[in-house]
Amino acid sequence: MRTKIIAGNWKMNKTYAEALTLAAGVRDAVKGASHPGLLTLIAPPFPFLAETAKLAEDIPGLHIAAQNCHQENAGAYTGEVSASMIASCGATHVIIGHSERRNYFGENDATLLKKTMLTLEHSLVPVFCIGETLAERESKKHFETIAAQLENGLFPCGKEAMKKIVIAYEPVWAIGTGVNATPAQAQEMHAFIRACVEKNSGKEIAAAVPVLYGGSCNAGNAASLFACADVDGGLIGGASLRADEFASIRKSMLATLA
Ligand code: PGA
C-alpha cells in the first residue's frame, strides 16, 4: 500500500512565535492519533525549519519540508537557500515547482529538474508540484500540460529517482480560490499522472509513487477527495494555517486507514 501523506504548506505566513505555536498544535494532533501508513508534513518558511524540526524530532510520522530550494549547491547567490542547508536543519522533504514559484519567480522545467536532482543528492524527498491553469483546462489542454511538466521537469531524473519522489497535483485554478477540483476531476488526473509514471518508469514504481492533491482542500471536502483510489493525500495551503482544521483534514485520511 502507498504511504499516505498530509502536508501543510504554510507559504509566507506566520511569525516565529506563531509558527512554533502552530507546529506544536500539529505535533499534538499527530501524537494524539497516528498510523504507520500516514506521514504528516509541515512546510514552514525557511527561518523556522530548524526549530520546527526540533519539535518534530521525537514524533514518528511527523516530518518537516522546505517550500523551495536553490538549484545550485552553494556559492554567491545572495538571499538563496541550498538543499544542504535545508537538510542540515533537520528537514526531510522539499516542495519543488509549486505554481507560485513557477508563476511569480519564473521557475521553468530546466530549473526544477536541477532542484529535484540536487534535493535527492542531499537525501531530501522532493514533493514535485504540477498543475494546469484554468485556460489550459478550458481549452482541454490539461492532460498535455501535466504530461509535459512531468516529462521535462521530473522524468529526466531517472528511474531510481522516481522511487523516491512524491508528486503533488495542484490545478492552478484551485489554489487559494475556494474552488477545489471535484473528486472525479482529481481522480481522473491522478490516474493519468500514474499512467505517465508507468510509461516512463514501469508498473511497480507507478504503483508506489504517492500522488497528493492540492488546491482548496479543507476539512469539508477532504474526505471525498481522499476516498479516490489514486489520491494519496493532500498538499494543504490555507487550511494548514490552523492546527484544528489541519488536524481534522488528517483525521479524514486516518479514517481511510482504519
Ligand atoms: P490552498 O493551497 O490549499 O490554499 O488552495 C494549496 C497549495 O498551494 O499548496
Side-chain angles (χ1 to χ4, degrees):
M1 195 166 80
R2 289 187 287 275
T3 306
K4 306 293 183 192
I5 302 173
I6 300 296
N9 174 12
W10 296 1
K11 309 194 180 183
M12 197 174 72
N13 292 294
K14 304 293 178 187
T15 61
Y16 177 74
E18 289 165 352
L20 291 190
T21 305
L22 177 54
V26 174
R27 181 194 56 190
D28 291 346
V30 176
K31 263 182 163 174
S34 62
H35 187 283
L38 174 64
L39 170 65
T40 302
L41 287 175
I42 49 174
F46 288 133
F48 314 141
L49 285 183
E51 283 297 315
T52 50
K54 273 187 212 152
L55 272 175
E57 212 166 45
D58 55 342
I59 313 291
L62 176 60
H63 286 244
I64 306 298
Q67 297 172 18
N68 177 37
C69 70
H70 193 258
Q71 62 272 25
E72 301 297 334
N73 230 336
Y77 300 100
T78 301
E80 291 296 324
V81 174
S82 72
S84 68
M85 291 172 192
I86 291 166
S88 73
C89 286
T92 54
H93 291 63
V94 183
I95 298 171
I96 292 182
H98 190 282
S99 68
E100 287 150 18
R101 300 296 317 173
R102 293 176 189 259
N103 295 338
Y104 305 146
F105 302 96
E107 296 190 358
N108 59 25
D109 292 330
T111 310
L112 299 177
L113 179 60
K114 275 189 173 179
K115 289 185 186 217
T116 306
M117 309 254 265
L118 208 51
T119 303
L120 288 163
E121 270 173 40
H122 291 280
S123 302
L124 293 159
V125 178
V127 179
F128 192 83
C129 301
I130 51 180
E132 82 284 0
T133 62
L134 186 59
E136 284 161 342
R137 181 162 279 265
E138 283 177 346
S139 57
K140 308 217 178 322
K141 293 211 168 86
H142 44 303
F143 292 116
E144 201 180 301
T145 300
I146 295 299
Q149 288 173 346
L150 289 169
E151 271 154 32
N152 301 324
L154 185 61
F155 291 163
C157 286
K159 238 174 139 172
E160 276 313 298
M162 291 303 296
K163 290 182 186 163
K164 299 179 188 135
I165 55 115
V166 173
I167 295 173
Y169 169 59
E170 299 205 300
V172 180
W173 48 270
I175 296 178
T177 58
V179 183
N180 59 289
T182 63
Q185 286 171 322
Q187 172 55 31
E188 183 185 38
M189 187 56 91
H190 283 227
F192 175 75
I193 291 165
R194 210 175 294 289
C196 291
V197 175
E198 182 172 334
K199 212 162 119 200
N200 177 74
S201 311
K203 216 178 175 76
E204 211 175 306
I205 292 175
V209 66
V211 185
L212 316 185
Y213 168 78
S216 297
C217 182
N218 57 38
N221 59 30
S224 60
L225 288 159
F226 299 162
C228 301
D230 286 291
V231 175
D232 303 310
L235 181 51
I236 323 292
S240 72
L241 296 174
R242 279 186 28 215
D244 56 350
E245 175 144 30
F246 189 62
S248 131
I249 295 171
R250 264 190 91 246
K251 272 201 187 139
S252 302
M253 185 51 90
L254 281 169
T256 71
L257 292 165

